[in-house]
């Protein structure tokens, strides 16, 4: 996701369009991207550390983006 201080024109465009489409009550919209990784073997602390490092050095532009690593079944 873009950091809160970074302008998000796509999110703003979606926010402006929602009332015209009949969707009220949304105060803000931020757009982002998502990567889904399938891990070989167990998802232990070492695997999560490698994935976090991968996200920080390769998948996310940490100058303007924040990221979260989560595990889903």
């Amino acid at each position: 996701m873009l950091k809160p201080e970074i302008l998000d024109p796509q999110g703003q465009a979606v926010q402006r369009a929602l009332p015209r489409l009949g969707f009220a009550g949304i105060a803000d919209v931020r757009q982002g991207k998502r990567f889904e990784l399938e891990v070989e073997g167990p998802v232990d602390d070492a695997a999560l550390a490698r994935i976090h490092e991968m996200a920080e050095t390769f998948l996310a532009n940490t100058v303007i983006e924040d990221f979260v690593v989560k595990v889903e079944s």
Side-chain angles (χ1 to χ4, degrees):
M1 295 295 300
L2 291 172
K3 291 183 176 183
E5 63 271 16
I6 302 298
L7 181 65
D8 182 359
Q10 185 176 359
Q12 290 174 341
V14 170
Q15 182 181 358
R16 287 190 304 271
L18 289 174
R20 291 192 309 265
L21 297 171
F23 299 101
I26 303 300
D28 193 23
V29 176
R30 303 288 292 175
Q31 72 86 34
K33 62 184 176 184
R34 176 173 135 170
F35 293 94
E36 293 185 6
L37 306 173
E38 187 172 327
V39 179
E40 294 177 352
V43 182
D44 54 14
D45 288 342
L48 284 174
R50 285 193 322 273
I51 292 166
H52 191 275
E53 180 184 10
M54 180 190 325
E56 188 170 41
T57 60
F58 179 64
L59 300 177
N61 178 350
T62 56
V63 173
I64 62 169
E65 296 173 325
D66 289 324
F67 67 90
V68 175
V69 174
K70 35 182 214 183
V71 177
E72 295 181 357
S73 300

